[in-house]
mmCIF file of all heavy atoms in Angstrom:
data_model
loop_
_atom_site.group_PDB
_atom_site.id
_atom_site.type_symbol
_atom_site.label_atom_id
_atom_site.label_comp_id
_atom_site.label_asym_id
_atom_site.label_seq_id
_atom_site.Cartn_x
_atom_site.Cartn_y
_atom_site.Cartn_z
ATOM 1 N N THR A 1 -14.382 -15.485 4.506
ATOM 2 C CA THR A 1 -14.495 -16.157 5.793
ATOM 3 C C THR A 1 -15.949 -16.570 5.966
ATOM 4 O O THR A 1 -16.775 -16.336 5.080
ATOM 5 C CB THR A 1 -14.067 -15.224 6.953
ATOM 6 O OG1 THR A 1 -15.065 -14.219 7.151
ATOM 7 C CG2 THR A 1 -12.718 -14.566 6.676
ATOM 8 N N THR A 2 -16.297 -17.140 7.094
ATOM 9 C CA THR A 2 -17.696 -17.518 7.294
ATOM 10 C C THR A 2 -18.598 -16.305 7.468
ATOM 11 O O THR A 2 -19.794 -16.393 7.223
ATOM 12 C CB THR A 2 -17.865 -18.443 8.519
ATOM 13 O OG1 THR A 2 -17.287 -17.811 9.656
ATOM 14 C CG2 THR A 2 -17.220 -19.795 8.288
ATOM 15 N N SER A 3 -18.045 -15.152 7.857
ATOM 16 C CA SER A 3 -18.899 -14.008 8.153
ATOM 17 C C SER A 3 -18.690 -12.793 7.264
ATOM 18 O O SER A 3 -19.457 -11.840 7.354
ATOM 19 C CB SER A 3 -18.700 -13.586 9.615
ATOM 20 O OG SER A 3 -17.354 -13.185 9.824
ATOM 21 N N GLU A 4 -17.644 -12.807 6.412
ATOM 22 C CA GLU A 4 -17.409 -11.620 5.600
ATOM 23 C C GLU A 4 -16.537 -11.922 4.392
ATOM 24 O O GLU A 4 -15.880 -12.960 4.310
ATOM 25 C CB GLU A 4 -16.772 -10.507 6.434
ATOM 26 C CG GLU A 4 -15.366 -10.799 6.888
ATOM 27 C CD GLU A 4 -14.758 -9.685 7.737
ATOM 28 O OE1 GLU A 4 -15.208 -8.529 7.654
ATOM 29 O OE2 GLU A 4 -13.822 -9.979 8.480
ATOM 30 N N ALA A 5 -16.552 -10.969 3.464
ATOM 31 C CA ALA A 5 -15.635 -10.967 2.330
ATOM 32 C C ALA A 5 -14.657 -9.822 2.581
ATOM 33 O O ALA A 5 -15.070 -8.686 2.826
ATOM 34 C CB ALA A 5 -16.387 -10.745 1.028
ATOM 35 N N VAL A 6 -13.371 -10.141 2.569
ATOM 36 C CA VAL A 6 -12.332 -9.140 2.804
ATOM 37 C C VAL A 6 -11.588 -8.938 1.492
ATOM 38 O O VAL A 6 -11.011 -9.874 0.947
ATOM 39 C CB VAL A 6 -11.366 -9.589 3.922
ATOM 40 C CG1 VAL A 6 -10.292 -8.535 4.154
ATOM 41 C CG2 VAL A 6 -12.135 -9.889 5.207
ATOM 42 N N LEU A 7 -11.620 -7.720 0.999
ATOM 43 C CA LEU A 7 -11.004 -7.375 -0.278
ATOM 44 C C LEU A 7 -9.780 -6.519 0.004
ATOM 45 O O LEU A 7 -9.877 -5.469 0.632
ATOM 46 C CB LEU A 7 -12.012 -6.612 -1.136
ATOM 47 C CG LEU A 7 -11.658 -6.351 -2.572
ATOM 48 C CD1 LEU A 7 -11.505 -7.657 -3.346
ATOM 49 C CD2 LEU A 7 -12.737 -5.496 -3.222
ATOM 50 N N THR A 8 -8.615 -6.987 -0.437
ATOM 51 C CA THR A 8 -7.369 -6.234 -0.301
ATOM 52 C C THR A 8 -7.000 -5.700 -1.672
ATOM 53 O O THR A 8 -6.762 -6.479 -2.601
ATOM 54 C CB THR A 8 -6.237 -7.138 0.236
ATOM 55 O OG1 THR A 8 -6.658 -7.719 1.453
ATOM 56 C CG2 THR A 8 -4.976 -6.342 0.485
ATOM 57 N N LEU A 9 -7.001 -4.385 -1.797
ATOM 58 C CA LEU A 9 -6.670 -3.733 -3.063
ATOM 59 C C LEU A 9 -5.200 -3.335 -3.042
ATOM 60 O O LEU A 9 -4.710 -2.799 -2.048
ATOM 61 C CB LEU A 9 -7.524 -2.486 -3.262
ATOM 62 C CG LEU A 9 -9.033 -2.678 -3.197
ATOM 63 C CD1 LEU A 9 -9.739 -1.337 -3.217
ATOM 64 C CD2 LEU A 9 -9.493 -3.542 -4.344
ATOM 65 N N HIS A 10 -4.506 -3.582 -4.136
ATOM 66 C CA HIS A 10 -3.093 -3.233 -4.260
ATOM 67 C C HIS A 10 -2.947 -2.181 -5.337
ATOM 68 O O HIS A 10 -3.421 -2.360 -6.447
ATOM 69 C CB HIS A 10 -2.253 -4.447 -4.663
ATOM 70 C CG HIS A 10 -2.459 -5.629 -3.779
ATOM 71 N ND1 HIS A 10 -1.950 -5.706 -2.507
ATOM 72 C CD2 HIS A 10 -3.144 -6.772 -3.976
ATOM 73 C CE1 HIS A 10 -2.302 -6.854 -1.963
ATOM 74 N NE2 HIS A 10 -3.032 -7.521 -2.840
ATOM 75 N N LYS A 11 -2.282 -1.118 -4.991
ATOM 76 C CA LYS A 11 -2.020 -0.073 -5.971
ATOM 77 C C LYS A 11 -0.527 0.195 -5.951
ATOM 78 O O LYS A 11 0.040 0.520 -4.923
ATOM 79 C CB LYS A 11 -2.793 1.197 -5.617
ATOM 80 C CG LYS A 11 -2.685 2.277 -6.656
ATOM 81 C CD LYS A 11 -3.583 3.441 -6.314
ATOM 82 C CE LYS A 11 -3.583 4.456 -7.432
ATOM 83 N NZ LYS A 11 -4.435 5.588 -7.114
ATOM 84 N N VAL A 12 0.108 0.032 -7.094
ATOM 85 C CA VAL A 12 1.548 0.244 -7.198
ATOM 86 C C VAL A 12 1.796 1.686 -7.587
ATOM 87 O O VAL A 12 1.239 2.181 -8.555
ATOM 88 C CB VAL A 12 2.170 -0.717 -8.235
ATOM 89 C CG1 VAL A 12 3.649 -0.441 -8.393
ATOM 90 C CG2 VAL A 12 1.925 -2.155 -7.821
ATOM 91 N N SER A 13 2.623 2.356 -6.784
ATOM 92 C CA SER A 13 3.009 3.729 -7.137
ATOM 93 C C SER A 13 4.401 3.682 -7.739
ATOM 94 O O SER A 13 5.308 3.074 -7.198
ATOM 95 C CB SER A 13 2.966 4.630 -5.897
ATOM 96 O OG SER A 13 3.905 4.182 -4.942
ATOM 97 N N ARG A 14 4.564 4.292 -8.862
ATOM 98 C CA ARG A 14 5.833 4.270 -9.597
ATOM 99 C C ARG A 14 6.511 5.635 -9.495
ATOM 100 O O ARG A 14 5.848 6.667 -9.402
ATOM 101 C CB ARG A 14 5.580 3.929 -11.062
ATOM 102 C CG ARG A 14 4.842 2.625 -11.233
ATOM 103 C CD ARG A 14 5.643 1.739 -12.142
ATOM 104 N NE ARG A 14 4.935 0.487 -12.335
ATOM 105 C CZ ARG A 14 5.360 -0.667 -11.860
ATOM 106 N NH1 ARG A 14 6.441 -0.735 -11.157
ATOM 107 N NH2 ARG A 14 4.694 -1.771 -12.082
ATOM 108 N N GLN A 15 7.819 5.617 -9.564
ATOM 109 C CA GLN A 15 8.594 6.856 -9.593
ATOM 110 C C GLN A 15 8.465 7.473 -10.988
ATOM 111 O O GLN A 15 8.262 6.777 -11.976
ATOM 112 C CB GLN A 15 10.073 6.552 -9.302
ATOM 113 C CG GLN A 15 10.318 5.903 -7.964
ATOM 114 C CD GLN A 15 10.083 6.851 -6.815
ATOM 115 O OE1 GLN A 15 10.257 8.060 -6.954
ATOM 116 N NE2 GLN A 15 9.649 6.325 -5.698
ATOM 117 N N GLU A 16 8.595 8.750 -11.067
ATOM 118 C CA GLU A 16 8.633 9.424 -12.369
ATOM 119 C C GLU A 16 9.828 8.880 -13.155
ATOM 120 O O GLU A 16 10.923 8.748 -12.599
ATOM 121 C CB GLU A 16 8.763 10.943 -12.195
ATOM 122 C CG GLU A 16 7.515 11.591 -11.630
ATOM 123 C CD GLU A 16 6.343 11.476 -12.571
ATOM 124 O OE1 GLU A 16 6.523 11.587 -13.802
ATOM 125 O OE2 GLU A 16 5.228 11.269 -12.082
ATOM 126 N N PRO A 17 9.660 8.569 -14.457
ATOM 127 C CA PRO A 17 10.751 7.959 -15.212
ATOM 128 C C PRO A 17 12.012 8.810 -15.274
ATOM 129 O O PRO A 17 13.105 8.291 -15.357
ATOM 130 C CB PRO A 17 10.155 7.728 -16.602
ATOM 131 C CG PRO A 17 8.875 8.454 -16.647
ATOM 132 C CD PRO A 17 8.463 8.759 -15.240
ATOM 133 N N ASN A 18 11.901 10.141 -15.240
ATOM 134 C CA ASN A 18 13.080 10.997 -15.341
ATOM 135 C C ASN A 18 13.621 11.399 -13.982
ATOM 136 O O ASN A 18 14.560 12.181 -13.903
ATOM 137 C CB ASN A 18 12.752 12.250 -16.171
ATOM 138 C CG ASN A 18 12.400 11.877 -17.595
ATOM 139 O OD1 ASN A 18 12.918 10.902 -18.129
ATOM 140 N ND2 ASN A 18 11.515 12.651 -18.207
ATOM 141 N N SER A 19 13.034 10.885 -12.926
ATOM 142 C CA SER A 19 13.481 11.206 -11.582
ATOM 143 C C SER A 19 14.839 10.554 -11.323
ATOM 144 O O SER A 19 15.105 9.446 -11.771
ATOM 145 C CB SER A 19 12.455 10.684 -10.576
ATOM 146 O OG SER A 19 13.016 10.624 -9.293
ATOM 147 N N PRO A 20 15.731 11.230 -10.572
ATOM 148 C CA PRO A 20 17.031 10.631 -10.279
ATOM 149 C C PRO A 20 16.923 9.351 -9.446
ATOM 150 O O PRO A 20 17.823 8.532 -9.453
ATOM 151 C CB PRO A 20 17.782 11.714 -9.493
ATOM 152 C CG PRO A 20 16.856 12.842 -9.297
ATOM 153 C CD PRO A 20 15.606 12.575 -10.055
ATOM 154 N N THR A 21 15.821 9.182 -8.746
ATOM 155 C CA THR A 21 15.650 7.979 -7.925
ATOM 156 C C THR A 21 14.865 6.887 -8.623
ATOM 157 O O THR A 21 14.620 5.841 -8.055
ATOM 158 C CB THR A 21 14.929 8.330 -6.605
ATOM 159 O OG1 THR A 21 13.642 8.871 -6.918
ATOM 160 C CG2 THR A 21 15.739 9.303 -5.773
ATOM 161 N N ALA A 22 14.485 7.101 -9.874
ATOM 162 C CA ALA A 22 13.619 6.151 -10.574
ATOM 163 C C ALA A 22 14.215 4.755 -10.622
ATOM 164 O O ALA A 22 13.513 3.774 -10.437
ATOM 165 C CB ALA A 22 13.316 6.642 -11.988
ATOM 166 N N LYS A 23 15.487 4.635 -10.869
ATOM 167 C CA LYS A 23 16.096 3.311 -10.947
ATOM 168 C C LYS A 23 16.587 2.834 -9.585
ATOM 169 O O LYS A 23 16.761 1.655 -9.362
ATOM 170 C CB LYS A 23 17.237 3.319 -11.953
ATOM 171 C CG LYS A 23 16.715 3.531 -13.350
ATOM 172 C CD LYS A 23 17.768 3.347 -14.386
ATOM 173 C CE LYS A 23 17.142 3.757 -15.699
ATOM 174 N NZ LYS A 23 17.455 3.095 -16.813
ATOM 175 N N ALA A 24 16.820 3.763 -8.679
ATOM 176 C CA ALA A 24 17.342 3.399 -7.366
ATOM 177 C C ALA A 24 16.256 2.860 -6.452
ATOM 178 O O ALA A 24 16.527 2.023 -5.603
ATOM 179 C CB ALA A 24 18.009 4.610 -6.723
ATOM 180 N N LEU A 25 15.033 3.339 -6.610
ATOM 181 C CA LEU A 25 13.946 2.932 -5.718
ATOM 182 C C LEU A 25 12.958 2.048 -6.454
ATOM 183 O O LEU A 25 12.502 2.405 -7.531
ATOM 184 C CB LEU A 25 13.208 4.161 -5.175
ATOM 185 C CG LEU A 25 14.013 5.091 -4.279
ATOM 186 C CD1 LEU A 25 13.180 6.297 -3.924
ATOM 187 C CD2 LEU A 25 14.473 4.365 -3.023
ATOM 188 N N PRO A 26 12.594 0.897 -5.872
ATOM 189 C CA PRO A 26 11.595 0.043 -6.515
ATOM 190 C C PRO A 26 10.205 0.661 -6.362
ATOM 191 O O PRO A 26 9.971 1.535 -5.543
ATOM 192 C CB PRO A 26 11.699 -1.264 -5.720
ATOM 193 C CG PRO A 26 12.215 -0.845 -4.376
ATOM 194 C CD PRO A 26 13.098 0.349 -4.626
ATOM 195 N N ALA A 27 9.284 0.168 -7.175
ATOM 196 C CA ALA A 27 7.893 0.611 -7.065
ATOM 197 C C ALA A 27 7.371 0.211 -5.693
ATOM 198 O O ALA A 27 7.722 -0.836 -5.154
ATOM 199 C CB ALA A 27 7.052 -0.034 -8.155
ATOM 200 N N GLN A 28 6.549 1.066 -5.104
ATOM 201 C CA GLN A 28 5.998 0.786 -3.785
ATOM 202 C C GLN A 28 4.540 0.384 -3.931
ATOM 203 O O GLN A 28 3.805 0.974 -4.710
ATOM 204 C CB GLN A 28 6.120 2.005 -2.884
ATOM 205 C CG GLN A 28 7.564 2.359 -2.589
ATOM 206 C CD GLN A 28 7.658 3.551 -1.656
ATOM 207 O OE1 GLN A 28 6.671 4.169 -1.311
ATOM 208 N NE2 GLN A 28 8.874 3.869 -1.247
ATOM 209 N N GLU A 29 4.149 -0.616 -3.165
ATOM 210 C CA GLU A 29 2.776 -1.101 -3.226
ATOM 211 C C GLU A 29 2.015 -0.607 -2.003
ATOM 212 O O GLU A 29 2.472 -0.738 -0.878
ATOM 213 C CB GLU A 29 2.772 -2.629 -3.261
ATOM 214 C CG GLU A 29 1.406 -3.195 -3.524
ATOM 215 C CD GLU A 29 1.464 -4.692 -3.729
ATOM 216 O OE1 GLU A 29 1.901 -5.124 -4.799
ATOM 217 O OE2 GLU A 29 1.056 -5.412 -2.800
ATOM 218 N N LYS A 30 0.864 -0.010 -2.243
ATOM 219 C CA LYS A 30 -0.012 0.426 -1.165
ATOM 220 C C LYS A 30 -1.204 -0.520 -1.145
ATOM 221 O O LYS A 30 -1.721 -0.891 -2.187
ATOM 222 C CB LYS A 30 -0.494 1.856 -1.408
ATOM 223 C CG LYS A 30 0.616 2.881 -1.429
ATOM 224 C CD LYS A 30 0.055 4.254 -1.732
ATOM 225 C CE LYS A 30 1.170 5.266 -1.835
ATOM 226 N NZ LYS A 30 0.685 6.590 -2.183
ATOM 227 N N SER A 31 -1.623 -0.897 0.040
ATOM 228 C CA SER A 31 -2.767 -1.800 0.155
ATOM 229 C C SER A 31 -3.870 -1.137 0.954
ATOM 230 O O SER A 31 -3.605 -0.391 1.890
ATOM 231 C CB SER A 31 -2.362 -3.100 0.861
ATOM 232 O OG SER A 31 -1.468 -3.822 0.074
ATOM 233 N N VAL A 32 -5.079 -1.416 0.560
ATOM 234 C CA VAL A 32 -6.267 -0.971 1.267
ATOM 235 C C VAL A 32 -7.137 -2.192 1.467
ATOM 236 O O VAL A 32 -7.263 -3.032 0.572
ATOM 237 C CB VAL A 32 -7.026 0.108 0.455
ATOM 238 C CG1 VAL A 32 -8.350 0.445 1.097
ATOM 239 C CG2 VAL A 32 -6.176 1.343 0.295
ATOM 240 N N VAL A 33 -7.723 -2.297 2.637
ATOM 241 C CA VAL A 33 -8.571 -3.443 2.955
ATOM 242 C C VAL A 33 -10.006 -2.964 3.123
ATOM 243 O O VAL A 33 -10.264 -2.006 3.863
ATOM 244 C CB VAL A 33 -8.083 -4.148 4.240
ATOM 245 C CG1 VAL A 33 -8.985 -5.311 4.585
ATOM 246 C CG2 VAL A 33 -6.647 -4.602 4.088
ATOM 247 N N LEU A 34 -10.936 -3.609 2.414
ATOM 248 C CA LEU A 34 -12.363 -3.334 2.547
ATOM 249 C C LEU A 34 -13.049 -4.597 3.048
ATOM 250 O O LEU A 34 -12.729 -5.701 2.615
ATOM 251 C CB LEU A 34 -12.969 -2.920 1.204
ATOM 252 C CG LEU A 34 -12.444 -1.631 0.586
ATOM 253 C CD1 LEU A 34 -12.997 -1.456 -0.818
ATOM 254 C CD2 LEU A 34 -12.807 -0.439 1.448
ATOM 255 N N HIS A 35 -13.987 -4.429 3.964
ATOM 256 C CA HIS A 35 -14.733 -5.556 4.534
ATOM 257 C C HIS A 35 -16.198 -5.442 4.134
ATOM 258 O O HIS A 35 -16.791 -4.380 4.275
ATOM 259 C CB HIS A 35 -14.654 -5.538 6.065
ATOM 260 C CG HIS A 35 -13.273 -5.694 6.602
ATOM 261 N ND1 HIS A 35 -12.802 -6.889 7.071
ATOM 262 C CD2 HIS A 35 -12.251 -4.809 6.734
ATOM 263 C CE1 HIS A 35 -11.561 -6.739 7.487
ATOM 264 N NE2 HIS A 35 -11.197 -5.485 7.289
ATOM 265 N N MET A 36 -16.772 -6.526 3.634
ATOM 266 C CA MET A 36 -18.199 -6.571 3.338
ATOM 267 C C MET A 36 -18.798 -7.684 4.201
ATOM 268 O O MET A 36 -18.453 -8.852 4.040
ATOM 269 C CB MET A 36 -18.462 -6.854 1.861
ATOM 270 C CG MET A 36 -19.948 -6.815 1.528
ATOM 271 S SD MET A 36 -20.297 -6.996 -0.234
ATOM 272 C CE MET A 36 -20.111 -8.749 -0.416
#
């Protein structure tokens, strides 16, 4: 923007491969926003 740089970090959390929900649940994305 004119006054800052905004960085959005995405981290995908995956289910354990042998977990019973591994195929039932999609990977979830967590976001963090940093402002400089």
Side-chain angles (χ1 to χ4, degrees):
T1 72
T2 54
S3 62
E4 68 181 338
V6 180
L7 189 63
T8 304
L9 305 172
H10 307 286
K11 186 174 186 180
V12 177
S13 63
R14 304 235 181 248
Q15 300 290 331
E16 290 295 322
N18 296 328
S19 163
T21 60
K23 293 188 187 216
L25 295 176
Q28 295 182 355
E29 188 173 285
K30 297 178 183 177
S31 294
V32 173
V33 179
L34 297 172
H35 297 260
M36 184 175 79

